Amino acid sequence: MGVIIVTGIPGVGKTTVMKKAAEGMDIQFVTFGTVMVDIAMDLGFVKDRDDMRKLSPEQQKELQIKSAEKVASMGDVILDTHCTVKTPKGYMPGLPEWVIKKINPTAIVLVEADAEEIFNRRAGDTTRNRDQDTKEEINEHQMMNRAAAMAYASLTGATVKIVFNHDNAIEEAVKQAAPVLKRE
Ligand code: ATP
Ligand code: AMP
Ligand code: MG
């Protein structure tokens, strides 16, 4: 099966959908942001995972490389991460060439939803401190993620599957992701 990357913009529901899709499967589920924030806290860079995208690009890159090295040593995993990270200086690639080649995924699952659904999920999830983007900004970010996902695919030969996670339709999203998780 190889490494499967699951991605999508903040609040779209990638952790919720893929954790459910991976239930009962004999594969480790790894959240890249958790690996990163553990390293960031050790280095004294941040106290909260939602503060990392506001660090300087150099600091984010350092964390990204260290995290990629750790993940690359884990073998086959489902990796929950971001195609692009929205920083004050612009979109940063979540998986630049030196990261995507280390991880070498066989498939990329891109979770999407309507801008309004994402807007409301961000507002309703008080466990996180997500950006308060407008619906236009949410759409722009989803468009950038599609472009980034295909760029990563062309560096690795990975397939890209778009999975829609509409409100109260997690089961349908899991069903759409199922062929990617099937062992051949
Ligand atoms: P991040 O990149 O910030 O970690 P995420 O993409 O992993 O975000 P989740 O944490 O999985 O997003 O979901 C964000 C919120 O949306 C949560 O409160 C979750 O319960 C809710 N949610 C996810 N999917 C759906 C759905 N299909 N219908 C309704 N609510 C949903
Ligand atoms: P998450 O819980 O998935 O939102 O991850 C927490 C944070 O980790 C994100 O908001 C980003 O700041 C950071 N992060 C996750 N994946 C990447 C990545 N591939 N490159 C850079 N930063 C990332
Ligand atoms: Mg998540």
Side-chain angles (χ1 to χ4, degrees), residues 11 13-16 31 49 80 82 128 130:
K14 58 190 167 299
T15 305
T16 309
T31 299
R49 67 198 297 125
D80 172 359
H82 294 251
R128 295 287 302 264
R130 296 190 178 92

Side-chain angles (χ1 to χ4, degrees), residues 28 47 52 56 76 97 129 132 145 150 159 183:
Q28 201 184 345
K47 290 196 174 73
M52 287 192 293
S56 72
D76 287 356
E97 191 252 3
N129 188 17
Q132 291 179 330
N145 271 2
M150 279 321 292
T159 52
R183 290 184 196 276

Side-chain angles (χ1 to χ4, degrees), residues 82-151:
H82 294 251
C83 264
T84 60
V85 179
K86 199 170 174 188
T87 81
K89 293 196 177 181
Y91 293 103
M92 186 180 126
L95 303 159
E97 191 252 3
W98 54 89
V99 168
I100 196 80
K101 285 197 172 156
K102 262 195 180 54
I103 294 171
N104 196 27
T106 54
I108 299 170
V109 175
L110 180 53
V111 181
E112 293 190 352
D114 294 335
E116 192 166 351
E117 293 174 316
I118 297 171
F119 183 92
N120 291 333
R121 284 176 204 166
R122 287 182 181 180
D125 184 0
T126 54
T127 65
R128 295 287 302 264
N129 188 17
R130 296 190 178 92
D131 296 343
Q132 291 179 330
D133 291 333
T134 63
K135 286 166 205 161
E136 289 72 25
E137 288 166 332
I138 287 173
N139 280 331
E140 178 187 274
H141 197 175
Q142 292 206 111
M143 193 185 72
M144 294 301 275
N145 271 2
R146 281 192 180 193
M150 279 321 292

Side-chain angles (χ1 to χ4, degrees), residues 54-96:
K54 290 153 202 152
L55 290 170
S56 72
E58 290 71 28
Q59 283 176 310
Q60 291 187 63
K61 239 184 255 180
E62 180 186 340
L63 294 172
Q64 205 175 40
I65 294 165
K66 288 193 162 107
S67 306
E69 280 163 359
K70 194 155 181 200
V71 171
S73 70
M74 292 179 178
D76 287 356
V77 295
I78 295 177
L79 183 63
D80 172 359
T81 188
H82 294 251
C83 264
T84 60
V85 179
K86 199 170 174 188
T87 81
K89 293 196 177 181
Y91 293 103
M92 186 180 126
L95 303 159

